[in-house]
Amino acid sequence: MPTINLSKKHGKSSDEIRALTEQLSQLLQQKFQIKCQLKHQENNDTLTFTRLDMSGELCLMPNEAKVTVKTGFLTAALTPVIETELKRTLDKYLA
């Protein structure tokens, strides 16, 4: 299974990070029918998500965001497209 691993430095506050993870969770569920689970912890917010043939995790920590996505057989060919879109989205929201 192909795996995408990305990280991005940021200067967002804890409140901004919390709002961003909640916004992203709602977007993924409403627009793409992706099941999400959001976990707020003291030092980070973690959003895990699953959809047919794909799963992943977004961990937003102070000063850094890490994304891991595993694609399966059906979505493997889309891995480069998904990675490009994830990079663009991280740049947009964490600039």
Side-chain angles (χ1 to χ4, degrees):
M1 269 193 219
T3 302
I4 300 167
N5 289 300
L6 301 172
S7 65
K8 170 99 176 145
K9 300 287 184 186
H10 67 81
K12 301 288 185 185
S13 70
S14 297
D15 290 338
E16 290 173 310
I17 290 299
R18 181 145 298 165
L20 182 61
T21 54
E22 289 173 0
Q23 179 184 7
L24 181 58
S25 176
Q26 290 175 4
L27 174 71
L28 289 172
Q29 291 178 76
Q30 292 172 359
K31 189 172 182 180
F32 300 106
Q33 294 76 46
I34 295 176
K35 294 179 184 175
C36 297
Q37 182 178 358
L38 185 55
K39 184 175 183 182
H40 297 294
Q41 297 175 324
E42 187 174 331
N43 294 323
N44 66 41
D45 286 352
T46 303
L47 177 66
T48 55
F49 51 90
T50 57
R51 187 170 183 202
L52 178 65
D53 205 42
M54 183 172 49
S55 64
E57 179 177 273
L58 168 64
C59 185
L60 289 162
M61 303 165 287
N63 304 317
E64 185 176 19
K66 292 185 178 185
V67 180
T68 302
V69 178
K70 294 180 183 178
T71 57
F73 179 75
L74 298 173
T75 54
L78 296 173
T79 300
V81 174
I82 294 167
E83 184 171 6
T84 299
E85 186 63 23
L86 283 170
K87 286 179 182 178
R88 187 189 69 76
T89 302
L90 286 174
D91 289 344
K92 177 181 176 181
Y93 287 101
L94 297 178

